[in-house]
Amino acid sequence: MEENFNPVAQTRANYYTPGSPVQFVCVELLKGDVSGEHAVCLTFKNISRVTLTALEIHFKCKGVDGVILCEDKFEYRDLQVKPGELFGQDDAVFITAKAITSVDVTLCNVYNGKRVVHLDGIKRVRLPAPRRLAPELQKALEARMNRTGLKYQPQVFENGWYCACGAFHPTEEDTVYCSECGCDRILLQNALNTLLQPAAPADEMEMPLNAPAAPAAPAAVEEPTRIVGAAPAAPAAPVEEPTRVVGAPVYEPKADPIQPVSEPTRVLDASVRTPLSGAAAADEGTRVIPARRPAPVRQPAPVEEDEEYEDNRDSVAEALIRWVPPITAILCAAIALCGFVYYQFVL
């Protein structure tokens, strides 16, 4: 008899395998609605540029008291996973009636047709825990990006970057788009910086994606991924505050005060001072008097030309132009008339 399993808890992987074409994304715990048993489902992602056809893993499930409930290998066969796609979330690798608190997954072999990549010898790298956003900032970021579930602060590290939805994208994936929520890393950074500007100083505004990458400490293989309860649904997006329009201040130019023109001074010797003062030379000291301003130079008035002046030659030319044509016409007519009379009456 088939049984429906409902999701109970989900948590993301806290480590990744550098250089691997496939990455462990998250573990999900399901519970049967009839038997009440717990099923463990693992999700993986193809971050390569080829289609994956099979995957072999080794997993270890632990209970509440840290006792290993199951340790076994699992094979995903007959796959056609294209680049960027998730797989494995519909296959249960282990079913038990006991509560499970952590799952440890190790990638063994991944196949692309007849090609195989051995991942047993690759040391896994521990991921830093993502930083949670304040509830107000989370709501504002979800409203600006028009998406839900953006609960974490986006960060960039040397080996990859964190999206606001909590998904980690290693350097091997070589993408700026989150394959889970669809956010653009650059637009996400700009939106968060805009929201942090009014409340945070300048040095903190550059933290989200421009902070220097902290060296990642390698994690022990024995440390599993702990399972936590599923987060509640995100509340509705808040109403955006309207933009205020503030008029620009008006500056009135100040007139510069007119500075009085300082007048140069002249120092006169005794020979010049005596006729001016008429006092005794013994009692008179050096006198300073203002210099006389030079008289303004008047410009000579322009000489106006006589417009009534006319050249005598202009009148002679005008008379010739007026009378020569009619006189010439009369002479030609007279010659023609004489010729006509001569040929008619004389000959």
Side-chain angles (χ1 to χ4, degrees), residues 45-108:
K45 180 169 61 173
N46 180 9
I47 63 171
S48 67
R49 298 182 179 180
V50 298
T51 300
L52 302 182
T53 57
L55 174 65
E56 298 175 357
I57 65 168
H58 179 274
F59 70 93
K60 185 189 303 183
C61 298
K62 293 183 180 180
V64 179
D65 50 359
V67 178
I68 297 177
L69 301 178
C70 179
E71 182 176 2
D72 197 1
K73 288 187 176 181
F74 191 85
E75 298 179 358
Y76 297 89
R77 296 294 181 184
D78 299 329
L79 302 177
Q80 290 295 327
V81 183
K82 296 181 180 180
E85 291 184 350
L86 302 175
F87 66 97
Q89 62 270 22
D90 296 331
D91 298 329
V93 298
F94 178 58
I95 298 178
T96 179
K98 297 182 179 181
I100 299 175
T101 58
S102 63
V103 178
D104 181 73
V105 178
T106 303
L107 303 178
C108 298

Side-chain angles (χ1 to χ4, degrees), residues 115-323:
R115 280 186 167 185
V116 57
V117 179
H118 302 285
L119 306 175
D120 307 68
I122 299 179
K123 190 175 182 179
R124 298 179 303 179
V125 176
R126 178 70 181 273
L127 295 175
R131 302 175 183 176
R132 289 294 298 263
L133 293 174
E136 298 79 6
L137 188 58
Q138 175 185 341
K139 296 177 182 178
L141 184 61
E142 290 177 346
R144 184 173 290 271
M145 297 300 296
N146 195 21
R147 286 177 175 83
T148 58
L150 305 182
K151 302 178 294 185
Y152 302 98
Q153 179 178 350
Q155 295 172 273
V156 170
F157 302 97
E158 183 179 359
N159 49 19
W161 59 282
Y162 263 125
C163 181
C165 67
F168 179 76
H169 300 274
T171 308
E172 292 82 2
E173 192 172 0
D174 191 19
T175 181
V176 295
Y177 297 98
C178 179
S179 57
E180 299 187 31
C181 68
C183 285
D184 184 285
R185 186 184 68 182
I186 300 176
L187 297 180
L188 190 63
Q189 174 188 4
N190 295 339
L192 187 60
N193 289 344
T194 303
L195 295 175
L196 290 176
Q197 274 184 351
D203 55 349
E204 294 182 4
M205 287 190 292
E206 298 179 357
M207 276 182 54
L209 291 181
N210 295 332
V221 177
E222 291 77 8
E223 185 173 356
T225 301
R226 302 185 181 274
I227 301 177
V228 296
V239 181
E240 294 185 357
E241 184 180 356
T243 305
R244 300 180 190 176
V245 180
V246 182
V250 180
Y251 298 93
E252 297 181 357
K254 297 181 179 180
D256 296 335
I258 301 176
Q259 299 292 339
V261 180
S262 57
E263 192 175 46
T265 58
R266 293 189 305 168
V267 180
L268 304 180
D269 54 4
S271 61
V272 179
R273 292 197 305 269
T274 302
L276 292 175
S277 61
D283 299 333
E284 186 179 12
T286 303
R287 296 179 59 191
V288 180
I289 62 174
R292 298 179 181 178
R293 297 183 180 180
V297 180
R298 296 182 180 180
Q299 298 292 337
V303 179
E304 297 181 358
E305 297 181 358
D306 189 4
E307 297 180 356
E308 297 180 357
Y309 173 78
E310 294 182 358
D311 194 353
N312 295 330
R313 292 174 298 178
D314 294 343
S315 58
V316 175
E318 183 179 357
L320 291 176
I321 293 172
R322 180 181 299 178
W323 295 108

